[in-house]
Amino acid sequence: DTGVSQDPRHKITKRGQNVTFRCDPISEHNRLYWYRQTLGQGPEFLTYFQNEAQLEKSRLLSDRFSAERPKGSFSTLEIQRTEQGDSAMYLCASSLQIAKNIQYFGAGTRLSVL
Amino acid sequence: RKEVEQDPGPFNVPEGATVAFNCTYSNSASQSFFWYRQDCRKEPKLLMSVYSSGNEDGRFTAQLNRASQYISLLIRDSKLSDSATYLCVVNSRSNQGGKLIFGQGTELSVKP
């Protein structure tokens, strides 16, 4: 499978715990995006990388959230001290740096905070 | 006001019907426009890009009106397999990037 891969697919955690998600983009794609989606809404942008540089962060990304892409390949998204409001689907997407910037999404990690 | 707004739906139509989805966007500087399809509990998948001249892909036709900041999607001869949520998406350029701004989605249910 050469698409965007996310791990884990599901994560159940207790409030206050830390969680980390991983995203492996399509191999030749230099841009990587994180989005969050709650029930009945479209995905909302969180942050994006071009190669290893984090170029933009949404105001939705509080201090408890951190994302990295250390070698310009896979990325991790960590949430510290999880809250019930963090429960959502976390989607990763990747794209090539060309005009239309078409983004291809992974299957997502569904987070449930109890 | 949301940056991208869509008909709330749901749309319930019989097989073979023609259905139209509408979308408006607020950022006049937006560069690229798309329709994505999302099946229940799955990831969004690109359905088609949208061009000012209008474009067609089989039973699907997309239109863009930059002056009115309006995007539409027409599905002709709808199939059961068209049942999904349709997301109107705008590429809002920032820095050198291209984050996508999504509408809330319109749910379509095609019945036999």
Side-chain angles (χ1 to χ4, degrees), chain A residues 31 33 35 37 40-43 45 48 50 55-56 89 91 97 99-107 110, chain B residues 2 32 34 36 38 41 43-44 46 49-51 87 91 93-100 102-104:
Chain A
R31 288 183 174 170
Y33 301 79
Y35 293 84
Q37 186 175 25
Q41 301 298 317
F45 170 78
Y48 103 93
Q50 183 162 300
L55 294 187
E56 187 176 355
M89 173 74 88
L91 292 161
Q97 188 181 346
K100 293 281 300 178
N101 192 40
I102 292 173
Q103 296 181 23
Y104 297 89
F105 284 80
R110 185 171 296 280
Chain B
K2 292 186 178 180
S32 305
F34 309 94
Y36 275 70
Q38 187 170 29
R41 302 181 79 83
E43 73 273 23
L46 179 68
S49 300
V50 188
Y51 304 106
L87 296 160
N91 185 333
R93 290 193 181 274
S94 57
N95 297 334
Q96 301 169 6
K99 68 181 181 184
L100 298 181
F102 287 80
Q104 72 179 84

Side-chain angles (χ1 to χ4, degrees), chain A:
Chain A
D1 185 356
T2 57
V4 178
S5 175
Q6 290 190 246
D7 183 68
R9 293 293 307 279
H10 300 94
K11 179 70 177 178
I12 300 173
T13 191
K14 293 183 179 178
R15 190 176 48 176
Q17 297 295 303
N18 299 344
V19 294
T20 300
F21 310 142
R22 176 179 170 126
C23 172
D24 288 88
I26 295 171
S27 59
E28 64 269 25
H29 285 186
N30 62 337
R31 288 183 174 170
L32 186 149
Y33 301 79
W34 286 99
Y35 293 84
R36 181 173 70 186
Q37 186 175 25
T38 53
L39 197 62
Q41 301 298 317
E44 295 176 293
F45 170 78
L46 293 178
T47 188
Y48 103 93
F49 294 84
Q50 183 162 300
N51 300 312
E52 66 275 8
Q54 188 173 18
L55 294 187
E56 187 176 355
K57 293 194 291 185
S58 163
R59 57 182 166 76
L60 293 175
L61 213 66
S62 76
D63 290 345
R64 296 184 297 104
F65 288 69
S66 63
E68 295 183 343
R69 194 182 184 197
K71 297 182 180 179
S73 57
F74 73 92
S75 175
T76 58
L77 177 68
E78 181 183 17
I79 309 174
Q80 296 182 326
R81 305 181 303 282
T82 52
E83 301 173 356
Q84 287 186 323
D86 297 332
S87 296
M89 173 74 88
Y90 290 84
L91 292 161
C92 177
S94 70
S95 73
L96 273 173
Q97 188 181 346
I98 56 175
K100 293 281 300 178
N101 192 40
I102 292 173
Q103 296 181 23
Y104 297 89
F105 284 80
T109 294
R110 185 171 296 280
L111 174 66
S112 297
V113 182
L114 306 179

